[in-house]
Amino acid sequence: MRGLSGFGKGQARFSGTSFLAICLNLAGLDLSPLSLKRLLQPSSIAVFGGREAHEVVRQCRRMGFSGEIWPVHPTREVVEGYPCFRGVDELPRAPDASFIGVNRNLTIEIVEQLSMRGAGGAVCYASGFSEVDDGKKLNAALLSAAGSMPFLGPNCYGVINYLDGALLWPDQHGGRRVERGVAILSQSSNIGINLTMQARGLPIAYLIALGNQAQTDLGDALGTLLTDERVSAIGLYIEGFRDVTVLERVMRVARERKIPVVALKSGASDQGAKIAQSHTAAMAGSDDVADALFKRLGIGRAHDLDTLVETLKILHVHGPLKGGRLCSMSCSGGEASLMADTAIGRKINFPELTDHQHQSIAATVHPLVSVSNPLDYHTFAWNKEEDLFNTYSAMLECHFDLAMLVLDFPRADRCSLETWAPAVNAICRAAQKTRMPTAVLASLPESLPEATASDLMSANIAPLCGIRQALDAAEIAAAIGEFWKNAPKSDLLSGPVINSNEGTRRRIDEWEAKQYLAKAEITVPQGKRCSDLKELLAFAETIEFPMVLKACSAELIHKSDVAAVYVGISDSDELENRALELFSRFELLLVEEMVASAVCELIVGINQDPVIGPWMLVGSGGIYAELLKDQQVILLPADRKAIEEAVGNLKISPILNGYRSLSPADYEAVVSTLEKISSYWEHNKHQLASLEINPLLALPEGKGACAVDAVMQFQSVG
C-alpha cells in the first residue's frame, strides 16, 4: 500500500491520558473542543482493509449516510460503487472518521499517517494489543502514532450513529434511523450488537463500542455525547473503570444538561484478600465499591440487560422520575396482585388513595369494582373507549410520579388485536390530557408488539416489558430524580492516592493504632501495652475492673481465632493468671478498661480500590460483621450527609435509634466519630493504606462511641 512510510515521527505524541482529563476546564467544567465530535458525526469516512471495511461501506449506504465515503485498498478499484484510493496521501482531504480493519502492525502505520494528515479520529478494529502478552509494546506504539488524534479501541467494532446514518461498524445490527434517542456505550462489542437487536421500541441514537480503551475511554465518549441535543439518555455496559475522576466531572456536566445515565456493570468479584487481611476488605468487594461510585455520581444501576433497556425507555420518554409514588391499572385482579407483590421491599410504592381520589375514580367504574391502588377495574368497561378514558384520566389526575397501565397484547399471528385498540386510544388520550408520566406495561416482553411500542413512544408513553423489570426501571429512574434534587458535592473524588504496586506495607499493632486514633480525637479505652507482668499489674491498679486483656502484635489480626483475648476480667487474681498464660505465647500484652453497656457494635474500615480509590465501610460489627452482610460503602472524601445516609441504610439502624422499647445509642457521637475517621484519612491519605475498627461501640445516648479494637497499615515508598 503506497503512502504508508513517507511521514516523519516528530509530531507531539499523546501519552494515553484521557482527553477529557487534559481538556476539561476544571473551574467551569466546560467540555473541550478536542472531542470525538468529528469521529461520531462525520461528513467524510475513510475505510481501510478488506471484508470488514467493505461491510462498513455497505452499512453506511443502507443507512443513508449523506457524506463522502473513501475506500482505501492496495489493489481493488471499486468498493460498493465507490472508487478506491491507494493510501492516506491520496485522499481528497483529511477524513473526519476512519475505520481501520487491517492487522495490528499496519494499523499503527495508518493511524500515524491519519494523525499527521489531521484526521478527526479512527476506529481500530484489530486485536492483539494490551490484551495479549506480546501486545504491550504495540499498544504504546499505537498511542504514540495517534498523537492528538482520538481513536476508539483497539479490539473494537466501532460506532453507529443512527441519527445521521454514519456507521463505522463491520457487522450487521438491528437499529434504524431516528431523530432522537438514547446513546449506548459498551465495553463489549457483542453486547452492543445484542442491544441493537431489541424489539421493544427503544430508539437508539448512538452505539459506541469502546474496545480496549487504550486512549479514548468512557469519560471521553460520554463527554462528546453530552454535546448532542438529540441524545435523551445514556446507557452504559461497563466491565471496569479507568479514570473515575474524569467520569465524575463528566457526570456533573450530564446533570447540568439534564441527560440521565444508567449503567450495567459486570465482573462482580471479591477483592478483599488482594487488598489487606481484614474483615472490611473481605466484606466490600469491588462490586460494592462500584455501587458506591454509581450512587456518588448519580448513575442509575441496572443489574441485567432487560432492566437497562426498560430504564432507558422511561428516561427517554419522561426523564428521571420526581419520586417513587406509582399507580397501576389493570383489568385483572391477578395483575394488580402481582404489581403490589413486586413492589414489596422497594423504595417505590403504590400509595393508598385519599378519600377524594377514591371518590373520583369510583365515579368512573362499575359499582362492583373495589377501588384501590393498584386498581383492578375489571372487564366491565372493556372495549368501551370513553369509559376507559374516564377511569384512566381519573387515576392519572391523582398526580402519581408514574402511572402504569398493565396491558398484555395477544399474538398477532393467531389472535385479533381489534378489541385492544380502545384501551390504547384511551390511555394515549388520558396521558395527553393530564400530561402525567405514563407507561403501558406488558407483564411478558413478547406480549408487547414492537410496532405498538413504537406508537406508544410517539405518544410520549413509555412501553415497558416485564413487571419486575418495569419496577426495577422505575426505581432506578426515581433514584436519579432524587439525586438531581440535591446540590452537587463540593469535594471531588481523588482517585487512587496510593499505588499498591509501589513500596511496602507496614502494619502496626493495636496499641500504636489506638494512639493515632486518640490523637485524632477518637475515643479509645484507657489502657497500656506491657512487656512483663509487673508492668501490667502496676498499670491495672490505675483503672477499674472489669478489664480486657489481649495479645498485642502487628502480625495478629483476628485475636479470637487463636484465643488471644480475654474479656470481663473481674479481679486481680484472674488478671494475673490470664496474663501469665498469654505471656507464655506472646511478648507484648495490652490491658484495658472494659467498655460495657454498648447499644450495638459497628465495624468501620478504610481501604482503597486500585481503580476507584479510597472508600470507607460502615456495618454491623463484632463477630457478626461478615455473617450479617449489613454494610454500606462510602467513597472518600465524604461529607456528613453521605455518612448519615450510610448509617441510616444499615439494617442495624433501628437499634441505633431506639428500636421498640430499647434505649437509643448516642447517634450524634457515632456520626461524629465516622467524620473524624474520614478526616484522619484525609490528613494521612498518602501513607494510610488501610484502617479497621472492629468493633466501634455505639454507647447509650450521651455516652459517646468507643473504638475498642483497631488495625492499621501504612505504605512506605522508597
Side-chain angles (χ1 to χ4, degrees):
M1 185 178 292
R2 288 190 285 127
L4 291 179
S5 59
F7 293 91
K9 302 181 182 295
Q11 78 267 33
R13 294 305 181 201
F14 188 72
S15 68
T17 303
S18 168
F19 275 175
L20 216 53
I22 294 175
C23 303
L24 270 171
N25 181 324
L26 299 185
L29 296 176
D30 294 329
L31 291 175
S32 162
L34 281 176
S35 69
L36 306 181
K37 188 173 179 64
R38 288 177 66 192
L39 177 60
L40 300 187
Q41 301 173 24
S43 59
S44 58
I45 297 175
V47 297
F48 298 80
R51 180 179 62 83
E52 288 83 7
H54 299 170
E55 184 62 29
V56 169
V57 177
R58 285 190 286 271
Q59 293 294 348
C60 285
R61 289 189 63 183
R62 292 170 185 165
M63 202 57 62
F65 177 61
S66 60
E68 297 181 82
I69 299 177
W70 303 327
V72 180
H73 197 277
T75 59
R76 296 195 62 165
E77 298 298 325
V78 177
V79 172
E80 293 291 316
Y82 294 93
C84 282
F85 299 88
R86 294 290 176 254
V88 173
D89 56 340
E90 292 189 8
L91 296 176
R93 60 183 179 278
D96 288 325
S98 299
F99 178 88
I100 305 174
V102 299
N103 68 61
R104 57 183 184 170
N105 292 294
L106 193 53
T107 292
I108 296 171
E109 296 183 42
I110 295 174
V111 163
E112 181 171 34
Q113 294 201 10
L114 287 169
S115 176
M116 294 291 292
R117 188 82 191 268
V123 168
C124 296
Y125 178 75
S127 58
F129 289 86
S130 62
E131 77 276 12
V132 296
D133 291 338
D134 69 340
K136 304 297 190 295
K137 291 183 179 179
L138 289 174
N139 194 74
L142 179 62
L143 285 167
S144 178
S148 60
M149 182 188 75
F151 68 86
L152 293 173
N155 192 21
C156 170
Y157 260 42
V159 58
I160 300 176
N161 176 346
Y162 287 117
L163 298 163
D164 305 308
L167 287 84
L168 286 86
W169 194 264
D171 202 348
Q172 62 183 348
H173 56 90
R176 60 185 180 183
R177 291 287 293 267
V178 297
E179 295 182 356
R180 178 177 175 269
V182 305
I184 296 174
L185 280 71
S186 177
Q187 291 178 349
S188 163
S189 297
N190 199 59
I191 293 292
I193 292 176
N194 295 344
L195 287 169
T196 71
M197 302 296 178
Q198 57 84 30
R200 303 184 179 196
L202 176 67
I204 300 175
Y206 288 96
L207 169 62
I208 301 175
L210 296 168
N212 290 5
Q213 301 181 92
Q215 177 215 69
T216 303
D217 77 346
L218 183 66
D220 298 313
L222 264 174
T224 302
L225 290 171
L226 295 175
T227 67
D228 194 331
E229 295 181 353
R230 300 170 295 177
V231 172
S232 57
I234 298 175
L236 312 175
Y237 172 76
I238 300 174
E239 294 173 350
F241 304 98
R242 198 179 77 168
D243 192 333
V244 297
T245 60
V246 171
L247 186 58
E248 180 175 35
R249 294 185 179 108
V250 172
M251 285 306 302
R252 292 196 173 205
V253 178
R255 174 179 174 153
E256 290 172 3
R257 297 185 178 176
K258 306 298 183 186
I259 299 179
V261 180
V262 59
L264 168 61
K265 183 185 180 298
S266 64
S269 62
D270 183 358
Q271 65 173 21
K274 298 178 182 179
I275 297 178
Q277 296 175 341
S278 68
H279 282 98
T280 51
M283 289 165 65
S286 60
D287 199 56
D288 296 296
V289 182
D291 200 54
L293 177 66
F294 289 136
K295 290 178 182 177
R296 166 104 178 203
L297 303 187
I299 298 175
R301 186 172 190 186
H303 289 280
D304 54 66
L305 288 171
D306 286 322
T307 303
L308 178 65
V309 171
E310 300 311 306
T311 307
L312 285 171
K313 285 192 281 188
I314 292 179
L315 296 175
H316 171 75
V317 179
H318 301 304
L321 300 180
K322 294 181 179 180
R325 300 174 66 258
L326 312 181
C327 78
S328 169
M329 302 168 283
S330 63
C331 65
S332 162
E335 292 167 339
S337 294
L338 284 174
M339 293 291 283
D341 291 347
T342 310
I344 294 174
R346 297 177 180 271
K347 293 182 180 179
I348 55 174
N349 63 89
F350 295 106
E352 294 287 341
L353 300 171
T354 66
D355 290 342
H356 175 72
Q357 292 169 343
H358 188 283
Q359 292 170 9
S360 297
I361 297 165
T364 70
V365 296
H366 192 278
L368 295 179
V369 171
S370 177
V371 174
S372 63
N373 181 29
L375 173 66
D376 167 20
Y377 57 82
H378 290 239
T379 56
F380 297 112
W382 188 252
N383 208 25
K384 299 176 182 177
E385 183 175 326
E386 291 306 314
D387 290 351
L388 293 171
F389 168 69
N390 291 332
T391 299
Y392 298 162
S393 296
M395 201 72 169
L396 267 61
E397 285 169 350
C398 296
H399 295 279
F400 295 101
D401 298 309
L402 180 66
M404 294 180 286
L405 173 63
V406 183
L407 196 62
D408 283 60
F409 293 80
R411 295 174 59 116
D413 58 341
R414 301 176 187 172
C415 308
S416 171
L417 277 68
E418 182 179 351
T419 58
W420 268 254
V424 174
N425 293 339
I427 193 64
C428 289
R429 290 171 56 199
Q432 184 177 20
K433 173 189 174 184
T434 62
R435 300 193 178 280
M436 297 305 298
T438 305
V440 168
L441 166 59
S443 59
L444 295 174
E446 58 268 30
S447 298
L448 183 57
E450 185 176 17
T452 302
S454 297
D455 290 343
L456 290 168
M457 278 280 189
S458 299
N460 292 321
I461 294 176
L464 303 180
C465 301
I467 291 176
R468 192 266 302 163
Q469 292 87 346
L471 293 188
D472 282 347
E475 193 166 23
I476 294 168
I480 297 174
E482 184 65 28
F483 179 85
W484 282 10
K485 293 177 184 177
N486 299 314
K489 292 183 179 295
S490 58
D491 293 328
L492 293 173
L493 292 174
S494 63
V497 293
I498 292 179
N499 188 339
S500 59
N501 295 321
E502 294 182 0
T504 58
R505 292 196 172 185
R506 177 178 64 88
R507 184 181 295 112
I508 61 176
D509 66 31
E510 180 182 347
W511 166 253
E512 292 178 287
K514 285 179 174 176
Q515 301 315 295
Y516 283 119
L517 294 179
K519 290 179 182 178
E521 299 182 351
I522 297 166
T523 302
V524 297
Q526 186 178 357
K528 186 176 182 180
R529 181 179 60 187
C530 303
S531 59
D532 57 53
L533 183 62
K534 181 179 179 181
E535 180 185 19
L536 188 150
L537 294 177
F539 174 78
E541 292 180 358
T542 67
I543 59 177
E544 296 182 357
F545 290 102
M547 297 182 190
V548 176
L549 186 64
K550 310 176 185 181
C552 191
S553 168
E555 304 305 316
L556 193 57
I557 306 301
H558 307 304
K559 301 179 185 67
S560 58
D561 292 348
V562 292
V565 56
Y566 293 107
V567 299
I569 297 175
S570 58
D571 56 46
S572 299
D573 290 339
E574 183 183 2
L575 177 63
E576 183 173 351
N577 291 333
R578 298 300 191 189
L580 287 171
E581 191 276 322
L582 286 178
F583 270 129
S584 69
R585 294 187 288 143
F586 302 98
E587 292 183 2
L588 298 173
L589 301 186
L590 174 61
V591 60
E592 295 179 326
E593 63 178 354
M594 182 173 175
V595 182
S597 304
V599 174
C600 64
E601 298 182 354
L602 298 172
I603 182 171
V604 183
I606 288 179
N607 229 303
Q608 179 162 241
D609 182 274
V611 177
I612 296 175
W615 47 267
M616 179 166 67
L617 176 142
V618 57
S620 299
I623 62 173
Y624 303 110
E626 291 165 319
L627 294 176
L628 295 182
K629 301 296 182 185
D630 179 23
Q631 66 221 30
Q632 295 288 313
V633 171
I634 314 162
L635 298 188
L636 299 174
D639 56 21
R640 183 181 178 89
K641 184 176 181 181
I643 292 172
E644 288 181 332
E645 181 180 354
V647 173
N649 286 334
L650 292 174
K651 298 173 187 174
I652 206 172
S653 179
I655 296 177
L656 285 170
N657 290 293
Y659 184 67
R660 294 189 176 179
S661 59
L662 296 177
S663 299
D666 195 332
Y667 180 87
E668 173 61 32
V670 169
V671 173
S672 177
T673 299
L674 294 176
E675 284 187 293
K676 291 174 182 177
I677 294 170
S678 175
S679 179
Y680 178 76
W681 165 81
E682 180 68 37
H683 289 97
N684 298 276
K685 59 187 176 184
H686 296 293
Q687 295 83 36
L688 182 63
S690 67
L691 161 66
E692 181 180 296
I693 297 172
N694 183 28
L696 173 70
L697 297 184
L699 301 176
E701 199 166 20
K703 300 294 184 180
C706 185
V708 298
D709 200 351
V711 177
M712 276 189 193
Q713 214 177 45
F714 292 92
Q715 180 107 341
S716 300
V717 179

